[in-house]
Amino acid sequence: MRRLRDVGEHAWIAALARRLAARPADRRILVGPGDDAAAVRPGRRPLLVTADALVENVHFRAGWAAPAALGRRAWAVTASDLAAMGGVPRFAVLALEASPAMRTADLDALVGGFAAAARREGARLVGGNLVAGPHLAITAAVIGEAVGPLVTRAGARPGDRLYVTGALGAAGLAVRRLAAGAAARLPDPPRRVRAGRLLARVASAMIDVSDGLVQDVGQLCRASRVGAEIDLGRLPVAGACRRALGGRAAAFAARAGEDYELVVAVPPAREPALRRLTLVGRLLAGRPVVHVRAPDGRVVRVARGGFDHFRR
C-alpha cells in the first residue's frame, strides 16, 4: 500500500495530471494541470470567483466520510456559493495539505470524487497544489459565469417572501451525532447549481444555507438592510431530523447549518413562477433582525447556532 512519503509530491502530481489530461479535450482550457498555472479562455459573461476549505478537525474528523465523499463535498460546498448568485461553474483548482502517511489511493479517490462532481456540473479541474502537513485540508477555488441575472444578498426589499429549496436539518444532525462518537452518515450536500440559475430569474436576493438558516438569513438582511420573519411551522424539516428530535426538530433545523440549500427572497408578483420550494417567511422594513415565530404565532428565541470559525 503506497503512501505519499513513498511516492513524493511531484510523482503524484504528474500521475494526476496524466489522468486529468486523458479526459475528453475541452477547448476552453489552454493550459491544464502540470504547469505553473492553468490558462483558460473566459467567455463574454461576467466571471464569478469563489473559494472554500474543508479542514480536518474543523469541518470534519477522520473517518466521518470516505475520501471520494470528501472530494464531492469539497466541490459542492464551493459550487454552492456560485449557485447562490445564479452562476454556473466552469473551472476549479484544488490546494491540498496531506500527511506523508496518507495512502495515495485515498488521495486519488478524494481528487477523483472532486473532479467527477465538477464534471457533472459542466466544470473541469484544471490545476492546484499539494503540500505536506499534519492533517488533511482541502481548499478549492471555483471560477464560474453568470449566464443570466447576477443575484447578490443585497437586493431584497420589505414585502419579499422567503423561500428555501430542499429540506433542512439532516446534515446538522449527522454532524452532531458524529461529533458525539455515534454512528451516522454525513450526507452529500445537494446539487443546487441548476436551481440557482433558474431562481436568479425571479429572485431579488439569494444566499446558500451553510451556517444555519437563521444565521444566513441574517446575513442577507444586513446586506439588504431589511428585517425578516421566519415561520418555524413552515420549515421543510428532513425526515431523519424530525424522527430523531420530534417537537424540537424545527428549531434545530433553523440553526444547525451544513444544509447547502438556497434561501431566496422573491417579490410577491414573481411568486407564481416558483415550483418545488417552501415558503418559510417574509422580509420586513426596519432593522436587520431575524424574528422566528412558532406555529401559534409567538415570537420565540432560537439559540445562536450555525457555524462561526472563531466563536464556538
Side-chain angles (χ1 to χ4, degrees), residues 54-80:
L54 295 180
V55 180
E56 188 174 355
N57 298 324
V58 176
H59 301 94
F60 66 93
R61 297 179 190 171
W64 278 17
L70 281 177
R72 293 193 300 269
R73 188 170 191 82
W75 165 261
V77 302
T78 313
S80 180

Side-chain angles (χ1 to χ4, degrees), residues 1-291:
M1 183 64 69
R2 297 194 304 171
R3 301 184 184 275
L4 285 172
R5 62 183 168 222
D6 303 319
V7 176
E9 170 193 356
H10 300 293
W12 185 86
I13 291 174
L16 173 65
R18 288 193 295 271
R19 289 197 300 275
L20 293 175
R23 305 290 181 186
D26 189 328
R27 294 169 59 185
R28 302 170 303 170
I29 302 174
L30 305 180
V31 179
D35 217 303
D36 288 305
V40 299
R41 191 189 310 275
R44 298 178 180 178
R45 303 181 178 101
L47 293 182
L48 304 176
V49 183
T50 189
D52 215 324
L54 295 180
V55 180
E56 188 174 355
N57 298 324
V58 176
H59 301 94
F60 66 93
R61 297 179 190 171
W64 278 17
L70 281 177
R72 293 193 300 269
R73 188 170 191 82
W75 165 261
V77 302
T78 313
S80 180
D81 289 331
L82 267 63
M85 299 184 74
V88 175
R90 299 302 189 197
F91 309 104
V93 292
L94 195 57
L96 300 167
E97 175 187 330
S99 164
M102 185 175 185
R103 299 187 305 174
T104 57
D106 288 342
L107 197 58
D108 291 343
L110 189 156
V111 175
F114 182 96
R119 287 195 302 274
R120 284 195 292 271
E121 302 283 8
R124 295 287 294 271
L125 176 61
V126 295
N129 189 46
L130 173 65
V131 298
H135 53 216
L136 179 62
I138 310 160
T139 302
V142 177
I143 300 172
E145 292 180 307
V147 298
L150 182 61
V151 183
T152 71
R153 304 173 181 182
R157 296 294 180 264
D160 287 356
R161 307 295 183 89
L162 283 175
Y163 285 83
V164 69
T165 60
L168 308 176
L173 179 66
V175 168
R176 188 170 82 165
R177 286 175 167 171
L178 288 164
R185 187 187 73 82
L186 184 62
D188 281 355
R191 295 165 56 189
R192 294 294 182 237
V193 168
R194 182 174 182 273
R197 189 173 71 247
L198 296 175
L199 288 170
R201 301 173 185 173
V202 298
S204 59
M206 191 157 48
I207 190 171
D208 67 327
V209 184
S210 55
D211 296 324
L213 179 68
V214 172
Q215 185 163 304
D216 289 319
V217 168
Q219 294 190 57
L220 185 150
C221 287
R222 287 188 288 276
S224 295
R225 299 181 180 180
V226 295
E229 186 175 85
I230 293 175
D231 186 346
L232 276 186
R234 291 181 175 269
L235 291 196
V237 179
C241 184
R242 197 175 292 283
R243 289 190 295 272
L245 301 179
R248 297 177 290 120
F252 176 84
R255 61 182 175 81
E258 298 288 339
D259 298 297
Y260 294 98
E261 296 291 353
L262 300 176
V263 60
V264 52
V266 181
R270 299 177 187 170
E271 284 184 298
L274 297 179
R275 298 288 186 274
R276 299 181 182 178
L277 272 72
T278 304
L279 175 65
V280 297
R282 62 193 180 107
L283 296 177
L284 312 169
R287 296 172 56 239
V289 175
V290 180
H291 299 284

